[in-house]
Amino acid sequence: MVFMTKHHLHDRHLSRALNIGTPYLWLGLFFLLPFAIVLHISMAETALAQPPYTDLMSWVDDGVLQIKLNLQNFVTVFTDELYLAAFLNSLWIALVCTVLCLLIGYPMAYAIATSPERRRVILLMLIILPFWTSFLIRVYAWIGILKPNGLLNNFLMWLGLIHEPLTILHTQTAIYIGVVYSYLPFMILPLFANLTRLDFSLLEAAADLGCRPFKAFLKVTLPLSLPGIVAGSMLVFIPVVGEFVIPDLLGGPDSLMIGKMLWTEFFGNKDWPLAAALAICLLGLLVVPFVFMQRLESRMGGDEL
Amino acid sequence: MTNPERRTLEPWQDPKAAPYVRIDHVTKKFDDVYAVDDVSLDIFQGEFFSLLGSSGCGKSTLLRMLAGLERPTTGRIYIDGADVTDLPAYSRPVNMMFQSYALFPHMTVEQNVEFGLKQDRMPRKERAERVGEMLGLLQIGELRKRKPDQLSGGQRQRAALARTLAKHPKLLLLDEPLGALDKRLRESAQFELVNLQERLGITFVTVTHDQEEAMTMSTRIAVMNAGQILQVDTPTTIYEYPEYRFVADFIGLVNLFDGRVAEIQDDRVLVETQLGRRLHMRCSHPHAIGTPVTVAIRPEKLQICQTYREDGVNQVKGVVEDIAYLGDVSIYRVRVSPELLVEMTLTNIQPRTEQALTWGQEVAMEWSPTSGVVLTE
Ligand SMILES: Nc1ncnc2c1ncn2[C@@H]1O[C@H](COP(=O)(O)OP(=O)(O)OP(=O)(O)O)[C@@H](O)[C@H]1O
Ligand SMILES: [Mg+2]
């Protein structure tokens, strides 16, 4: 006890440094470093080289280091209407899908959270089950369902509701369907986690004070599940903005999404700097709602997420 | 704590008085468990009524049925003469304070108190007045802007009480209202609750498994066991004249002697017990000879016997085996036969160190034939 020596203290400092340092190291290695590289590429110019862009820095004869920052790519991103339209459309699709996921997911999460223990496990399994097959395969499967002579059209015609096939595949509608289907679990799971912790005696208290069930939902359940709603919405919104596979497989030529643009610039046009600039802008776009969420969190006490 | 002058007009003794709450043969089954089993009960206006019983005996379930949070499987419930059995909780003129308080965590104390008033569409000005009045009454005015998680246990209890009282209910249900408080706080809260009840004239029905709490606060107590009500009486009657072995045993300490009625002399029964002698007890019930009975005597009814005789009335002798010193009183456990311990409580008139009775000492005890009861069940 008395010999709380330097050695001990040193050990403690070390373990503390490790504890705090590990996440930073992780962040630095897997986020900041790639980000720096992408930022670096975004300010280069295309070149016929391997990799296909110029160096930012070069030595000019008299031992002068010349740094050339090319902002042209950003200018292009902001001025070319195609990119602007793609950004706006991505945001729009992400927004619509988030709202749809919320509207579908909330009642489902609520039903699971309030169902008896044993059934709850089964229902949760059913939500998670699709993850056992590849995402790509599941999206491909939707082609089979949505195509003109696919399952859906055949079924509707068999019912006599329609007389000729609807064109759903390769439209924005197909993207909505595919995205909502794929991202619904990401909405349901955080909502479920939040709603299972809801103290149902609060609803009884509300009823006891003269509050009808629906109003009690609006006044008690909904505000208390706000952290779950925010978390679920972020988990859907952020990846959907940059979604590439679904618009590529299910979307049509009219459905521009920034993820797909990025792909085309990168692999199709081999314009890495422009693709990098797009990626940087996309990141900026996604940081905004994240900061917004953080604000909301801290304002609400924030310990619930 | 009840006013002795009121004793003559106790409503439950008045056959003409209409009960405020009438529970009529109510049963509640959960799957195959009878949580409440054929309970009938009348509660009168202005009463402080306590449901007392061990854990899981159905107290909360009965209370929740009064609040409308649980529907009886069979039976009817009447409040103020109206059948409310099928009325949902939100339209009953009843408010309940929950065991866990169930304060809305996302609202301030003020908003919590206001919640019920808003449901009644009370005008804003009146609402603010009422909230102020309630916060003042419970002395939590300066906490009005706090959220429940920023309150201490006692403050939370006050906030919950303010919320239930705000609507001026005629009937207030309290499920273990003081359960979460420590002993000191609980004692002062008990007084406050009784004062409040007398001041507002509201009928209180509380649930507790703390017998002391029930004794100090209630006008009447219903003792429950396994979904059934065994006895409903004033605290004094419950304590002095329990009708069931369970009731005698549940409330306070008691010595129980099993035996058979051996002889009847005028208003006394003589009970043959395992003490090896007959106990003389006054008993108003006529018992047939040979009936198995239990004699129940509270430890404080025993005295040290100065003139012990082998054939003395209600006298027993034994050796002090155990002493529980509680400060004001001490409980002596005296072994009177190899399988029988008798408990005797004596007030510590002398400081403990100077007391005569110690471990291993032989002591003779006696009690009066009028100071116990003879139970058949
Ligand atoms: N929703 C329910 N579903 C199934 N059984 C229940 C339900 N609520 C209560 N019970 C059962 O009914 C019985 C009575 O429960 P209750 O909550 O009324 O007891 P209590 O007297 O309030 O006990 P405590 O003093 O522990 O609060 C218990 O056996 C309990 O397990
Ligand atoms: Mg209970």
Side-chain angles (χ1 to χ4, degrees), chain B residues 54-61 63-64 99 175-176 207-209:
Chain B
S54 48
S55 191
C57 69
K59 309 178 296 284
S60 294
T61 309
L63 205 67
R64 289 167 57 81
Q99 200 164 351
D175 195 348
E176 307 210 12
V207 157
T208 174
H209 57 227

Side-chain angles (χ1 to χ4, degrees), chain A residues 172-190:
Chain A
Q172 192 123 320
T173 316
I175 298 186
Y176 291 143
I177 293 173
V179 169
V180 169
Y181 161 78
S182 305
Y183 285 87
L184 196 55
F186 296 102
M187 181 61 90
I188 292 178
L189 293 177

Side-chain angles (χ1 to χ4, degrees), chain A residues 2 18 39 41 51 69 94 98 122 124 135 137 139 155 166 198 201 224-225 246-247 252 261 263 275 288 302:
Chain A
V2 188
L18 273 176
L39 192 65
I41 298 174
L69 295 181
T98 306
I122 298 170
L124 268 183
F135 172 65
I137 290 174
V139 177
F155 181 65
L166 301 170
L198 183 71
S201 70
L224 285 176
S225 60
I246 297 171
M261 285 286 184
W263 170 276
V288 176

Side-chain angles (χ1 to χ4, degrees), chain B residues 181-192:
Chain B
L181 304 185
D182 66 60
K183 197 167 158 53
R184 279 190 71 88
L185 208 54
R186 193 153 68 209
E187 275 161 13
S188 64
Q190 282 170 8
F191 277 99
E192 276 179 45

Side-chain angles (χ1 to χ4, degrees), chain A residues 133-190:
Chain A
T133 40
S134 146
F135 172 65
L136 210 58
I137 290 174
R138 283 182 285 132
V139 177
Y140 262 113
W142 275 102
I143 297 179
I145 298 172
L146 298 178
K147 67 185 175 188
N149 58 348
L151 284 174
L152 183 66
N153 274 318
N154 284 344
F155 181 65
L156 289 178
M157 287 205 283
W158 177 76
L159 282 180
L161 288 176
I162 52 172
H163 297 291
E164 50 195 81
L166 301 170
T167 15
I168 306 175
L169 195 61
H170 303 309
T171 64
Q172 192 123 320
T173 316
I175 298 186
Y176 291 143
I177 293 173
V179 169
V180 169
Y181 161 78
S182 305
Y183 285 87
L184 196 55
F186 296 102
M187 181 61 90
I188 292 178
L189 293 177

